[in-house]
């Protein structure tokens, strides 16, 4: 994974990819050479097959989870309002980091049509807005609509390469500690929504070694990549 330049974000410094193709992307907007995902932007808890897993990576036996129907497939280009409704969706991504999605304001394919994008390893959430015109997805598991009223017992630990966790549903708020990664590629991000815009980010950081972060009850999501296992302190 190529590192991105850190940018000032209020009082926080971190890395982001939004409103433009990721810094280590190829000409098609996907990861251009590492074979891994865009670790500086998004991801989440569940890997590999489309089977549901819990936020710690264990297989769920919940029949309701297994019976979930896909809202739309993980490969394709979808017109918003015609093929796919605005709303928040979730995919289990892909454990090889090659799941790519994109929100666009038109179907021109030009760079300035891009609203948000991400290369995903693990689970990802994204909110498709009514003003969006096109949603692209490539190499991803099927996308499921997120029920805002769904209840779950949030976990107190999470896979540091698991991707994107919904606070209060997938993961409990609190202070977490991770062993990080010796190559400076541990990335975490607290966000206020799943829009993936610059204004979605509350705080983020690249960490070498141990990482400590407090996830607030008011946070919407927590993203993590290459950080080792996070455990609630």
């Amino acid at each position: 994974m190529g590192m991105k330049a850190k940018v000032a974000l209020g009082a926080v410094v971190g890395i982001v990819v939004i409103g433009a193709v990721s810094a280590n992307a190829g000409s098609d907007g996907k990861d251009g050479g590492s074979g891994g995902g865009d670790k500086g932007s998004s991801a989440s808890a569940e890997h590999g097959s489309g089977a549901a897993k819990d936020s710690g990576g264990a297989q769920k036996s919940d029949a309701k989870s297994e019976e979930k129907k896909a809202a739309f497939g993980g490969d394709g280009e979808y017109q918003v309002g015609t093929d796919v409704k605005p709303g928040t969706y979730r995919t289990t991504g892909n454990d090889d980091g090659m799941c790519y999605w994109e929100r666009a304001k038109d179907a021109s394919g030009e760079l300035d049509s891009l609203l948000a994008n991400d290369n995903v390893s693990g689970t990802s959430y994204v909110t498709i807005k009514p003003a969006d015109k096109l949603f692209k997805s490539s190499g991803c598991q099927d996308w499921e609509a997120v029920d805002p009223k769904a209840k779950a017992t949030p976990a107190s630990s999470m896979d540091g390469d698991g991707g994107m966790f919904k606070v209060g549903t997938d993961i409990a708020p609190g202070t977490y500690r991770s062993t990080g990664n010796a190559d400076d590629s541990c990335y975490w991000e607290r966000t206020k929504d799943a829009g993936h815009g610059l204004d979605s980010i509350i705080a983020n950081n690249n960490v070498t070694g141990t990482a400590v972060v407090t996830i607030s009850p008011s946070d919407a999501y927590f993203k993590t990549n290459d950080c080792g296992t996070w455990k609630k302190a």
Side-chain angles (χ1 to χ4, degrees):
M1 179 199 72
M3 292 302 295
K4 299 182 182 64
K6 292 190 178 183
V7 296
L9 182 66
V12 181
V13 285
I15 55 177
V16 294
V17 51
I18 188 64
V21 178
S22 67
N24 53 344
S27 60
D28 61 355
K30 300 181 185 179
D31 190 304
S34 65
D38 175 1
K39 305 297 186 181
S41 176
S42 264
S44 222
E46 301 167 21
H47 287 215
S49 71
K53 299 179 183 178
D54 65 22
S55 56
Q59 192 77 29
K60 280 186 179 178
S61 59
D62 186 350
K64 290 183 180 180
S65 296
E66 295 172 359
E67 293 171 0
K68 281 184 178 178
K69 301 271 178 104
F72 55 96
D75 288 292
E77 297 185 352
Y78 305 94
Q79 288 183 288
V80 179
T82 302
D83 303 320
V84 60
K85 295 178 180 180
T88 299
Y89 296 88
R90 175 181 176 273
T91 180
T92 52
N94 209 321
D95 61 6
D96 62 7
M98 294 305 291
C99 165
Y100 174 81
W101 64 257
E102 178 180 313
R103 291 173 47 226
K105 64 183 180 182
D106 57 46
S108 70
E110 297 178 4
L111 184 60
D112 62 0
S113 72
L114 185 63
L115 296 170
N117 67 345
D118 199 7
N119 286 305
V120 178
S121 178
T123 297
S124 185
Y125 291 84
V126 61
T127 297
I128 300 173
K129 300 182 179 182
D132 296 355
K133 298 301 181 184
L134 196 70
F135 183 79
K136 302 179 183 181
S137 179
S138 177
C140 303
Q141 299 292 334
D142 290 344
W143 292 88
E144 298 171 348
V146 174
D147 180 358
K149 297 181 180 179
K151 295 182 179 180
T153 302
S156 58
S157 64
M158 54 187 152
D159 178 357
D161 197 27
M164 190 171 182
F165 299 85
K166 186 172 176 60
V167 179
T169 302
D170 301 326
I171 191 71
T175 298
Y176 288 80
R177 180 183 178 90
S178 171
T179 54
N181 201 317
D183 65 1
D184 192 37
S185 63
C186 168
Y187 175 80
W188 63 258
E189 180 179 308
R190 296 167 50 220
T191 72
K192 65 182 182 181
D193 57 42
H196 298 268
L198 281 173
D199 59 357
S200 297
I201 299 173
I202 298 169
N204 65 348
N205 205 6
N206 289 306
V207 182
T208 301
T210 300
V212 178
V213 62
T214 296
I215 300 172
S216 170
S218 61
D219 294 352
Y221 299 92
F222 181 74
K223 302 179 187 179
T224 172
N225 287 102
D226 289 341
C227 292
T229 300
W230 292 90
K231 293 184 178 180
K232 196 172 180 181

